[in-house]
Amino acid sequence: MAKALVSSSQELEQAAAPGPVLDGEIEPEAISEIIRRVEQMRRGEDTVLSNEEVLRDLDPDLVRIAELLDELP
């Protein structure tokens, strides 16, 4: 829910997708955790919810707070 203001085409190019991850940029523990979570998802142990599903289950006051935070400059 973060917002960014882009004022020039140069800044837009800088905000483009980052380059590939190089060897050694990710710690071995992080790689192990990513692999563990992917395996859980493949086995159906994890449930992936859309933002809409999560917001639907939240208290209306929390949803309004999130909307107000999105409106901040």
Side-chain angles (χ1 to χ4, degrees):
M1 294 188 190
K3 293 184 179 182
L5 175 63
V6 177
S7 60
S8 72
S9 61
Q10 183 180 16
E11 289 178 14
L12 182 59
E13 290 173 11
Q14 291 174 352
V21 176
L22 303 174
D23 288 341
E25 283 188 334
I26 299 178
E27 295 179 11
E29 296 84 17
I31 293 172
S32 297
E33 181 64 15
I34 292 168
I35 292 170
R36 185 186 69 76
R37 290 183 185 197
V38 168
E39 289 172 350
Q40 278 184 326
M41 288 175 58
R42 287 184 178 162
R43 290 190 302 264
E45 294 175 13
D46 274 348
T47 303
V48 179
L49 301 173
S50 69
N51 287 342
E52 291 79 18
E53 291 172 309
V54 171
L55 288 174
R56 185 177 52 231
D57 293 338
L58 286 178
D59 182 279
D61 291 335
L62 292 176
V63 174
R64 184 64 187 138
I65 290 170
E67 291 169 351
L68 291 171
L69 289 173
D70 280 343
E71 295 172 8
L72 288 176

